[in-house]
Amino acid sequence: MRTLSLLTAGLLLASGAAHAVDEAAAIELAKNNGCLSCHSAKEKIVGPAYSAVHEKYKDDKDAVASLVQSIQYGSKGKWGRIPMPPHPGMSPADIKTLAEWVMTIKP
Ligand code: HEC
C-alpha cells in the first residue's frame, strides 16, 4: 500500500487537493479499470496525459459530461490516430468520478 499512498500524495500535490473528488478512490478505479496502462497524470503513454486533458478542456463548462461520453463509449480522432476503447462494464457513477478526477489534474 506504500506505493499507492506515494502515488496518491503525488497526485494530490499535482492537483492542488482543493477539489471535492476523492482522489484515492479515483486512483483505485483508474487502476482497477486498466486506465493507467494507457494513461498517466503527466506523461503521454498510449493515451494523452490527464494533465493535457485538463489543459485542453479547462475552459469548457461541459468538460466532465463530454469526458464521461468518451470514457463510456470510446473516443477517436481527438488526440491522434489511436482510439480509446469503450468501457461498457463500468457504472455511470464510477465513470463520472474518473472524469471529474481527470479535470483536477493540472499540468
Ligand atoms: C487501450 C488504451 C486506453 C485505455 C485502457 C484507456 N484509454 Fe483513455 N484514451 C486512450 C486514447 C488513445 C485516447 C485518445 C482518443 C482520441 O484521440 O480521441 C484516450 C482519451 C481519453 C480521454 C480524453 C477524451 C476526450 O474526449 O478528449 C480521457 C478523459 C480518458 N481517455 C480517460 C480514460 C479513463 C478514465 C480510462 C479507464 C476507465 C481510460 N481512459 C482507458 C487510450 C486508453
Side-chain angles (χ1 to χ4, degrees):
M1 282 328 241
R2 184 168 159 77
T3 318
L4 179 63
S5 51
L6 283 175
L7 181 66
T8 310
L11 286 165
L12 279 171
L13 283 175
S15 68
H19 199 274
V21 175
D22 183 341
E23 302 266 3
I27 291 165
E28 271 305 298
L29 280 175
K31 276 181 25 179
N32 294 342
N33 289 285
C35 315
L36 301 185
S37 53
C38 288
H39 293 279
S40 83
K42 305 274 182 170
E43 309 284 338
K44 179 179 191 292
I45 307 179
V46 179
Y50 286 148
S51 57
V53 176
H54 170 104
E55 192 60 22
K56 180 170 177 173
Y57 297 108
K58 65 177 193 283
D59 298 325
D60 179 351
K61 64 178 173 43
D62 300 320
V64 168
S66 90
L67 295 184
V68 163
Q69 297 284 313
S70 292
I71 297 165
Q72 187 161 14
Y73 300 113
S75 172
K76 61 178 179 188
K78 292 182 184 161
W79 292 89
R81 291 193 306 186
I82 308 169
M84 172 161 69
H87 294 88
M90 289 183 68
S91 78
D94 286 353
I95 291 177
K96 185 152 183 280
T97 298
L98 286 172
E100 287 174 346
W101 171 61
V102 167
M103 289 307 294
T104 67
I105 300 176
K106 298 198 178 76

